[in-house]
């Protein structure tokens, strides 16, 4: 086998220049698979139960603490219930720990500088850990806001234990509510994950030459396989069979039937009956039987401990951590210097907009700033109604959260308009503050936080992204070579190979074929994400697109050869 192709010399590749178009940052995107209704549906009973208990004791003034725990019901809805039980419990425990640290600092000292440093550090840790975890939507804005806000509230050592217990207790209620659907339909998350992959095949069928559609299908198949990895029961084989059919379309888009795929996806999600198994060949059935062996193969430390690996100095998230920390610290210090006594809002604004690359950071900045400015005036309209009674304020919080979840994956600007008054209402549970004071302070803190976040993204480049993309290409080439059906070093010119090249015979061992297919599809998904992220980081050398395209084409030929 010839040696793998090498990247072009760095000096021969153009550098990436920043693009600051406003319209892409403000427009809506299609997100038909976003199950926002599940998140909102879990929060409503979680918050209602916790607040009902407080109302029975006449202590609705403590609703701000229980609401922090109730917000945990928004997370981990894409995970199977077996995995959700563990992941959500860990999320609740870590959120409670973060809130406890903030409350302890607030009780221990009134030194604003100490509080700011601790809050900024916690915000950076939460941001990186949340993005590396598997808890899914919504983004890190909620845990960052909850943890950092509690670092600036009046707190005493005598009330510390009660407040932490309220957060943990409400979190336990959230856990029970999030797990309750398992009593009715244990395979709901798995069905939804496979349905996403089935819908992705429809897009490939309608646009066979669209690389974005094929990347999305590879990512959906990989995500569904990760979901099924935690699944037990008789329905797993049928769901895996549907994924094999999706893999067949990834290798040969001409086999797709878009309308039928969308209809089957809807039926799979809505039906409560036994899952029908699609017609498969004997070789494909053998691959399903061997898939479990592939999933049980040894994994790297980064794959087994994604959160810990994100904090490694050579991780692509390392510069990301420093960006968030510097942005949050600078924003809080400027807010404090301008006379603000609750700089957690500036910390939240700075932390939320900072993303792994500059383009994503910029696309968060305008909607965050404009949405927050509109949101504070929406708060001014509803504040008189919320001040009638704390129960009314609690109901408004739930309504605003539902609206936020409905838009967060579609239009960040509109979501920000609703999440801003939600956060301001939550800050009122501990005591009424002047609406005019809140509007002014939050407007200033939002602008300060956004500016600090963008400046941090400019000053701290993420040079690890390009290296991460190079490693992703090498992993895909290695997976393709291991399949034994394509030689990634045979021809460096992707145009010279083309579709007319016949794939080599697939491995005779079904277990080996199953492992090879999973490895190639996972590597394709990782490569698409790594290249997309690296090519959006400013003033770094572009990834060698010729080698990327060549590796992808070899991978598709290998998939076709595997049958």
């Amino acid at each position: 086998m010839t040696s793998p192709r090498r990247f072009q010399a760095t000096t021969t590749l153009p550098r990436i220049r920043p693009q600051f178009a406003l319209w892409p940052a403000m427009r809506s995107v299609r997100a038909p698979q976003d199950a926002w209704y599940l998140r909102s549906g879990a929060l409503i009973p979680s918050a209602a139960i916790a607040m009902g208990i407080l109302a029975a004791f006449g202590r609705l003034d403590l609703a701000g603490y229980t609401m922090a725990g109730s917000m945990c019901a928004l997370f981990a809805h894409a995970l199977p219930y077996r995995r959700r039980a563990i992941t959500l419990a860990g999320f609740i425990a870590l959120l409670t720990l973060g809130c406890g640290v903030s409350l302890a600092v607030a009780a221990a000292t009134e030194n604003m500088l100490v509080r700011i440093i601790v809050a900024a550090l916690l915000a950076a840790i939460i941001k990186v850990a949340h993005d590396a975890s598997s808890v899914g939507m919504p983004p890190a804005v909620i845990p960052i806001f909850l943890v950092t806000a509690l670092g600036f509230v009046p707190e005493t050592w005598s009330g510390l234990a009660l407040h932490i217990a309220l957060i943990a207790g409400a979190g336990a209620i959230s856990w029970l509510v999030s797990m309750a659907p398992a009593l009715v339909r244990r395979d709901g998350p798995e069905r939804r994950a496979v349905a996403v992959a089935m819908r992705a095949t429809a897009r490939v069928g309608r646009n066979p030459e669209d690389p974005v559609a094929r990347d999305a299908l590879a990512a959906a198949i990989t995500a569904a396989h990760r979901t099924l990895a935690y699944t037990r029961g008789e329905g797993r084989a049928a769901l895996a069979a549907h994924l094999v059919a999706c893999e067949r379309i990834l290798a040969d888009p001409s086999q797709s039937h878009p309308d039928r795929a969308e209809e089957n996806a809807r039926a799979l999600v809505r039906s409560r009956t036994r899952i029908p198994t699609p017609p498969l060949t004997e070789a494909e059935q053998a691959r399903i039987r061997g898939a479990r062996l592939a999933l049980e193969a040894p994994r790297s430390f980064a794959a087994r401990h994604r959160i810990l690996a994100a904090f490694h100095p050579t991780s692509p998230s390392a510069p990301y951590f420093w960006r968030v920390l510097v942005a949050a610290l600078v924003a809080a210090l400027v807010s404090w210097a301008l006379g603000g006594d609750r700089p957690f809002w500036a910390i939240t604004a700075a932390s939320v907009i900072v993303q792994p690359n500059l383009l994503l950071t910029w696309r968060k900045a305008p909607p965050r700033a404009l949405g927050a400015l509109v949101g504070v005036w929406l708060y001014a309209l509803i504040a008189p109604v919320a001040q009638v009674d704390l129960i009314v304020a609690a109901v408004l919080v739930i309504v605003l959260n539902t609206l936020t979840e409905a838009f967060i994956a579609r239009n960040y600007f509109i979501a920000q308009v609703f999440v801003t008054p939600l956060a301001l209402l939550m800050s009122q549970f501990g005591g009424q503050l002047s609406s005019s004071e809140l509007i002014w302070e939050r407007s200033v803190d939002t602008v300060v936080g956004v500016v600090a976040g963008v400046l941090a993204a400019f000053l701290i480049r993420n040079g690890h992204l390009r290296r991460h993309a190079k490693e992703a290409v090498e992993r895909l080439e290695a997976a393709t070579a291991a399949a034994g059906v394509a030689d990634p070093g045979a021809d460096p010119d992707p145009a010279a190979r083309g579709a007319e090249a016949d794939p080599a015979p697939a491995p005779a061992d079904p277990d080996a074929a199953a492992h090879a297919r999973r490895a190639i599809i996972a590597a394709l998904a990782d490569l698409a994400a790594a290249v997309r992220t690296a090519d959006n980081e400013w003033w770094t050398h572009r990834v060698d697109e010729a080698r990327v395209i060549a590796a992808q084409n070899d991978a598709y030929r290998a998939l076709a050869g595997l049958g």
Side-chain angles (χ1 to χ4, degrees), residues 116 120 323-338 340 342-351 353-354 444-456:
I116 287 174
R323 276 181 174 176
V324 178
L325 179 60
V326 171
L329 192 60
V330 171
L333 292 174
V334 172
S335 174
W336 182 33
L338 294 176
R342 291 177 294 273
F344 67 86
W345 192 269
I347 293 175
T348 302
S351 303
I353 71 160
V354 174
V444 173
D445 286 351
T446 296
V447 174
V448 168
V450 168
V451 172
V454 172
L455 288 177

Side-chain angles (χ1 to χ4, degrees), residues 23-289:
W23 174 242
M26 303 298 292
R27 66 186 179 186
S28 298
V29 296
R30 293 186 61 188
Q33 277 77 41
D34 181 40
W36 64 270
Y37 52 89
L38 297 176
R39 301 193 294 268
S40 296
L43 175 65
I44 292 172
S46 300
I49 294 172
M51 290 187 180
I53 296 174
L54 290 180
F57 287 94
R59 293 302 308 271
L60 275 175
D61 58 303
L62 298 174
Y65 300 102
T66 60
M67 186 58 74
S70 298
M71 287 288 182
C72 296
L74 296 171
F75 298 93
H77 287 280
L79 297 177
Y81 290 107
R82 180 188 296 268
R83 184 66 177 177
R84 185 187 302 184
I86 300 172
T87 302
L88 187 57
F91 179 82
I92 294 169
L94 292 177
L95 180 69
T96 303
L97 176 63
C99 292
V101 171
S102 291
L103 290 171
V105 171
T109 180
E110 294 185 357
N111 188 311
M112 184 61 70
L113 182 59
V114 173
R115 292 187 177 189
I116 287 174
I117 293 174
V118 172
L121 185 60
L122 288 173
I125 293 173
I126 293 170
K127 179 75 171 182
V128 174
H130 188 279
D131 289 358
S133 71
S134 58
V135 296
M137 292 287 289
V141 57
I142 290 177
I144 289 176
F145 169 75
L146 295 174
V147 171
T148 56
L150 292 177
F152 298 92
V153 299
E155 185 59 60
T156 61
W157 289 111
S158 59
L160 180 63
L162 172 62
H163 296 159
I164 295 177
L166 289 172
I167 297 171
I173 295 173
S174 298
W175 187 91
L176 293 173
V177 170
S178 296
M179 295 300 299
L183 301 175
V184 179
R185 196 183 192 194
R186 296 184 62 85
D187 60 353
E190 295 92 322
R191 286 178 180 244
R192 290 191 295 273
V194 174
V196 170
M198 294 169 68
R199 292 190 182 99
T201 64
R203 185 178 175 187
V204 172
R206 293 190 178 101
N207 303 281
E209 303 301 324
D210 184 4
V212 176
R214 299 187 77 169
D215 290 343
L217 176 55
I221 292 173
T222 301
H225 276 305
R226 288 171 180 168
T227 300
L228 293 184
Y230 306 108
T231 303
R232 303 290 186 275
E234 59 182 11
R236 186 191 181 282
L239 291 171
H242 282 286
L243 285 184
V244 170
C246 294
E247 294 171 357
R248 185 194 308 150
I249 295 170
L250 180 64
D252 184 7
S254 64
Q255 300 186 40
S256 174
H257 300 279
D259 294 336
R260 186 192 307 171
E262 292 177 343
E263 181 181 351
N264 291 340
R266 286 192 296 269
L268 181 64
V269 172
R270 296 174 182 176
S271 174
R272 295 182 181 272
T273 59
R274 184 176 180 178
I275 302 171
T277 302
L280 301 176
T281 65
E282 291 185 2
E284 289 172 334
Q285 293 174 357
R287 285 202 297 271
I288 294 177
R289 292 192 295 269

